[in-house]
Amino acid sequence: MAASALAGAPRRRTCSGSTTAPTMAVRLSAILLSSICLLVLLNASHVESARTSGSFHWYNGLFVFGDSFADTGNFLKADLSEVTRQWYKPYGCSHGFLRDPTGRFSNGFVQSDFIAKILGRTKAPETYRDTKENNGDKFGVNFAVGGAGVFEVPRKAPTLAKQISSFKKMLDGGDIGKWQLKESVALVAISGNDYARVANMSSESEILDFIGNVTDEIAGGVERLQKLGVTKVLVNTLHPLACTPWQARPSNYTKCMGRGNMAALLHNDDLEKKLNATSSDSVYLLDLNWAFTNIIDPSNPHDIPQVAKQFKSKLKPCCESFDPNGYCGQVDEDGGALYSVCSNPEKHFFWDDVHPTQAGWEAVMEQLKKDIKDFLHITY
């Protein structure tokens, strides 16, 4: 290759019109170029060999849909309220070091960040909101918005269907390349916002029908993503709803309370049946219910799993509002804090009344990491 590169190098023309041999700089440039070409060819050969042997798999895009478990800043920043608290301190306070809040519902990283890390990235792809202001992240887009569900909610967060429509719009407009879908992963993180309306339902049959409607919408969204070209879809199960600080507070955070766990199990069973009917080889259920329960409510209290031992506070949140109906980050008219923050968030599973700390998410995703990598054929 070096010889042919030099042979094809341009010859410098003199003022008299004759030509001379290439200068030393040109020769060195040609040699360098040929070396780079050789390295590229060798690397391409290595990657192709690794792909076929199953020891390497690279994904071109991660596309995130859902709610606050996955949102990394899609909800617009506005004056402090329960809806916008993620844009204000103490959110973003990671392991005792104050950082600027990023719009994540935690003290640091959230679930979508850990999914991205499994795919070899440092954090979740940029938000859909940010893609409107720049050229976009070539790796993917995060469409998830805190408070979202499959149906319209009071916060007016875009539903799962609307988020997927935004994805389709970017795809149709060329903002997301079709090449990105050839090896792509989607995360669907729907965490139970729709079930707030169950409190107004009186009969068991009405509740079961509503659960079926919710799971229908999730399964329909997954099928739609597949038809648009996404090759692998990760779908969250519902975590144990009765084991959030919001539910456990009346017991002084000593036990899970309410019927939320049963509702979550019914939801998860129904969702699994519907997704299995869709396509089991390209859709994988992330068992958040098991991963959360393993930490905060293990079945055998005398044999606590190792992953749970790092958390001294499993149900009590790191950031706790003084008022049971208040929220983390709430302040009075003079700006005084109406909440308290622990000094050791890494020892708390929950950050606020419903969301895990960064350490909590890391412990959850570490339990699921191997199965995710197996499903995605990732071995590095």
Side-chain angles (χ1 to χ4, degrees), residues 106-186:
S106 185
N107 64 313
F109 286 143
V110 294
Q111 184 191 13
S112 51
D113 294 301
F114 288 100
I115 294 291
K117 287 184 177 185
I118 291 173
L119 298 179
R121 305 287 289 192
T122 58
K123 60 181 181 179
E126 70 179 354
T127 62
Y128 175 59
R129 182 174 63 84
D130 285 338
T131 62
K132 298 177 181 179
E133 302 173 6
N134 53 46
N135 293 327
D137 184 350
K138 297 305 180 185
F139 176 64
V141 183
N142 187 342
F143 297 89
V145 181
V150 299
F151 298 118
E152 294 287 349
V153 292
R155 294 185 180 186
K156 303 300 182 184
T159 63
L160 175 62
K162 288 183 178 179
Q163 292 176 29
I164 296 174
S165 291
S166 296
F167 169 66
K168 183 179 184 300
K169 183 178 179 181
M170 291 189 73
L171 187 62
D172 292 342
D175 297 309
I176 295 175
K178 292 188 183 297
W179 62 269
Q180 288 179 270
L181 301 186
K182 293 180 180 178
E183 295 289 343
S184 57
V185 178

Side-chain angles (χ1 to χ4, degrees), residues 46-58 373 376-380:
H46 170 71
V47 169
E48 182 59 32
S49 174
R51 281 181 184 273
T52 56
S53 66
S55 62
F56 181 91
H57 204 113
W58 181 256
K373 291 176 72 173
L376 297 176
H377 306 294
I378 295 174
T379 56
Y380 55 85

Side-chain angles (χ1 to χ4, degrees), residues 124-277:
E126 70 179 354
T127 62
Y128 175 59
R129 182 174 63 84
D130 285 338
T131 62
K132 298 177 181 179
E133 302 173 6
N134 53 46
N135 293 327
D137 184 350
K138 297 305 180 185
F139 176 64
V141 183
N142 187 342
F143 297 89
V145 181
V150 299
F151 298 118
E152 294 287 349
V153 292
R155 294 185 180 186
K156 303 300 182 184
T159 63
L160 175 62
K162 288 183 178 179
Q163 292 176 29
I164 296 174
S165 291
S166 296
F167 169 66
K168 183 179 184 300
K169 183 178 179 181
M170 291 189 73
L171 187 62
D172 292 342
D175 297 309
I176 295 175
K178 292 188 183 297
W179 62 269
Q180 288 179 270
L181 301 186
K182 293 180 180 178
E183 295 289 343
S184 57
V185 178
L187 169 66
V188 177
I190 297 296
S191 312
N193 289 311
D194 295 288
Y195 290 117
R197 65 188 71 189
V198 168
N200 299 320
M201 298 179 184
S202 56
S203 70
E204 183 177 323
S205 62
E206 188 179 8
I207 293 173
L208 291 175
D209 286 344
F210 184 71
I211 289 174
N213 292 336
V214 172
T215 55
D216 278 343
E217 289 293 322
I218 296 174
V222 170
E223 186 175 6
R224 190 176 169 199
L225 287 170
Q226 291 177 301
K227 288 180 178 178
L228 287 171
V230 176
T231 53
K232 298 286 185 180
V233 186
L234 304 171
V235 185
N236 281 356
T237 64
L238 274 188
H239 57 293
L241 299 176
C243 295
T244 60
W246 175 55
Q247 293 290 328
R249 185 165 182 158
S251 72
N252 197 26
Y253 306 111
T254 59
K255 61 181 179 180
C256 305
M257 296 187 67
R259 297 185 296 172
N261 288 357
M262 179 58 69
L265 292 176
L266 291 171
H267 168 103
N268 294 339
D269 287 345
D270 195 46
L271 182 61
E272 183 176 10
K273 292 174 185 175
K274 290 171 181 175
L275 291 182
N276 282 340

Side-chain angles (χ1 to χ4, degrees), residues 37-54:
C37 289
L38 181 60
L39 286 172
V40 169
L41 288 172
L42 287 173
N43 185 61
S45 175
H46 170 71
V47 169
E48 182 59 32
S49 174
R51 281 181 184 273
T52 56
S53 66

